[in-house]
Amino acid sequence: MAAQLEMFATEPSADGGLIGLKVKLDRPVDRERPCCRNISIIGAGKGPHAGELHCAGCGQHRGWLSKPTAQWIVHVVTRLGAPTTPIVVRKAHTFEEEAPPTETNPR
């Protein structure tokens, strides 16, 4: 039973990991369709995702944490310690944003 409770911990893990850390979601989708106070708890990731985001108020799935964002959060926590307030996640980063603009007008 204790192992089950540890799976759903709401406190950040002592080893500097992300699981249990709270983040405030301030992405466009969170402004359009807010959930409770838009505070999410980072859970274990699956597949290409570093973590899963669940609403701290109701437990609803709120999205996935990308590996680059997770690495940044780990870097900040490692250097500055665990935050006393939730870290704000403002925007989802997508591969399309990294692609160079394509020229549509032929010369």
Side-chain angles (χ1 to χ4, degrees):
M1 179 76 162
Q4 284 181 330
L5 293 176
E6 288 176 17
M7 266 185 5
F8 301 105
T10 57
E11 295 297 318
S13 59
D15 65 355
L18 296 174
I19 304 218
L21 195 65
K22 289 184 180 180
V23 293
K24 177 159 180 63
L25 301 178
D26 190 28
R27 306 166 299 181
V29 68
D30 302 310
R31 287 186 225 119
E32 294 167 12
R33 295 187 309 265
C35 186
C36 300
R37 297 178 312 161
N38 278 341
I39 303 290
S40 290
I41 298 172
I42 300 174
K46 295 178 184 168
H49 310 291
E52 186 172 11
L53 301 170
H54 289 278
C55 177
C58 67
Q60 179 177 340
H61 174 80
R62 297 297 294 153
W64 297 99
L65 188 66
S66 71
K67 289 181 180 178
T69 301
Q71 290 170 347
W72 179 82
I73 293 171
V74 167
H75 178 74
V76 169
V77 170
T78 302
R79 294 199 69 189
L80 304 175
T84 57
T85 59
I87 292 174
V88 178
V89 176
R90 296 201 186 280
K91 174 176 147 176
H93 182 77
T94 61
F95 178 74
E96 289 80 20
E97 293 171 356
E98 294 178 1
T102 58
E103 196 171 316
T104 57
N105 296 334
R107 292 184 183 188

